[in-house]
Amino acid sequence: MKITVLYFARIKEAVNYSTEELDLPNDILTITALKNWLALRGEVWANLFNGKQVVRAAINHNLVDDLAKIQANDEVAFFPPVTGG
């Protein structure tokens, strides 16, 4: 299944790019599974996606929780929590 992944803010800075096209294995069906899969890429990725840091996700511009299902051709965005004031 092919998807587009976008990275924002400190995540973008850590991985050193803002977007990539991925062809996911058949068992990657949720945001949680995608985060776990990305964490296997190495230390930088593990530090971001191993669950110790809060990383928010959106699918096709809609904020979702980690149990959200991913479908072919989705655009998944990852970003840190945003605060304002």
Side-chain angles (χ1 to χ4, degrees):
M1 164 173 56
K2 292 185 186 266
I3 65 168
T4 300
V5 180
L6 306 173
Y7 305 101
F8 292 96
R10 67 175 166 77
I11 300 168
K12 173 183 166 181
E13 293 169 8
V15 301
N16 208 27
Y17 50 95
S18 60
T19 186
E20 66 178 319
E21 302 291 323
L22 294 176
D23 193 3
L24 300 179
N26 292 334
D27 61 337
I28 308 300
L29 301 174
T30 65
I31 294 294
T32 297
L34 177 57
K35 285 180 175 180
N36 291 337
W37 186 71
L38 290 171
L40 298 174
R41 288 179 154 180
E43 184 177 351
V44 170
W45 294 90
N47 289 337
L48 292 168
F49 293 107
N50 65 7
K52 293 181 182 173
Q53 295 187 43
V54 177
V55 174
R56 302 298 312 259
I59 298 176
N60 301 323
H61 304 273
N62 295 308
L63 190 62
V64 298
D65 65 28
D66 284 357
L67 300 177
K69 300 279 186 189
I70 301 169
Q71 297 181 12
N73 302 311
D74 276 348
E75 178 185 86
V76 177
F78 289 116
F79 50 94
V82 178
T83 61

